[in-house]
Amino acid sequence: MKKTAFIGSGTMGGALIQAACQVLSPQDIIITNRSRAKADALAAALGCTAEADNRSAVLQAECCFLCVKPQVLPQVAAELADSLRGKLVVSIAAGVTIQTIRQCLGGAAQETVILRLMPNTPVLLGKGMLALSGDGMAEETHFALVEELLQKAGRIERITEGQMDAFSAVAGCGPAFAYQLIEALADGGVMAGLPRGQAQSYAAQMMLGAATMVLETGKHPGQLKDEVCSPGGSTIAGVAALEERGFRAAGISAVMAAYQKNIALGACTASPKS
């Protein structure tokens, strides 16, 4: 494994760093953050190295993760272009295409392999869903290196870059949608007479079990739903109530709204800001 730098150690960057530290020696991981104190605290907890300067971190590494906001990525990439030359660069910025990153790197782009990685927040617990894509310069060894480094983060799947915005809308934004559903079910439990803590725990465990059923049985969610619904029973009554209020339509709309936002983020970062 190669020495690795993480530019940005916020919520998502920090989660990836923690996963990487379970595979790579923490001494081979260099991190930075806009808040030096935050980088220092994480480095002290994990045993890796914090640098005050992005360029210093990049120069020490062969693989560099750019874990910054989409609006900031073009400027960061442009500033680090010469230092990133010839390295493996992995971006986690939603909506920002590999082509845009190459434009930011200028002449260094022709010697630089760029991958896009889209994680979600459950990587913090090793239960994430991550997507990985690259362009024609990426080889099997590059994909395999990132997959090995982040194997403790969760499930990683290779997809085309054209699928990235849609993936992000479902898996990247999806935890927030799931949390809202858990909260709503817990509210219903409280209305029905359950204590708040119990209702929330029951709803969360139910979601975990239902998701596991989909993944491990391979059955269509509709089939699994039908298997729970007895004729004239309470479950089908609840399903009907959800349908009356546009539950599935709301879910589709949420994903499409997130998808369109991802596209808009990419459009507004098409070139580095002057």
Side-chain angles (χ1 to χ4, degrees), residues 124-193:
L124 185 62
L125 301 178
K127 300 295 184 180
M129 181 68 239
L130 306 89
L132 188 63
S133 67
D135 61 10
M137 287 188 64
E139 299 178 356
E140 172 63 26
T141 53
H142 302 123
F143 287 105
L145 187 150
V146 175
E147 289 168 343
E148 181 180 359
L149 182 64
L150 297 179
Q151 61 184 274
K152 298 297 185 180
R155 176 180 170 185
I156 305 177
E157 186 163 325
R158 300 182 195 180
I159 63 176
T160 65
E161 189 178 17
Q163 296 174 310
M164 267 293 187
D165 287 338
F167 171 89
S168 177
V170 174
C173 303
F177 309 153
Y179 300 145
Q180 284 185 287
L181 178 56
I182 291 172
E183 182 182 26
L185 293 173
D187 285 345
V190 171
M191 286 187 68

Side-chain angles (χ1 to χ4, degrees), residues 95-120:
V96 185
T97 66
I98 293 174
Q99 180 181 3
T100 294
I101 299 172
R102 290 201 178 283
Q103 291 172 350
C104 298
L105 294 179
Q110 299 305 314
E111 303 173 45
T112 306
V113 176
I114 302 172
L115 298 180
R116 285 182 63 191
L117 175 75
M118 186 52 54
N120 61 8

Side-chain angles (χ1 to χ4, degrees), residues 18-91:
Q18 291 187 56
C21 282
Q22 297 179 59
V23 176
L24 193 63
S25 169
Q27 296 178 349
D28 289 328
I29 295 176
I30 310 106
I31 69 174
T32 68
N33 196 65
R34 184 173 56 181
S35 166
R36 177 61 192 269
K38 188 169 186 177
D40 285 342
L42 184 61
L46 298 176
C48 47
T49 302
E51 288 284 352
D53 179 68
N54 289 341
R55 192 179 304 275
S56 298
V58 167
L59 288 173
Q60 297 177 58
E62 296 175 77
C63 177
C64 301
F65 284 76
L66 302 181
C67 304
V68 298
K69 300 290 186 183
Q71 300 89 334
V72 177
L73 179 62
Q75 181 179 347
V76 171
E79 291 174 350
L80 295 175
D82 289 340
S83 303
L84 291 170
R85 186 187 299 270
K87 301 180 185 294
L88 172 58
V89 175
V90 184
S91 167

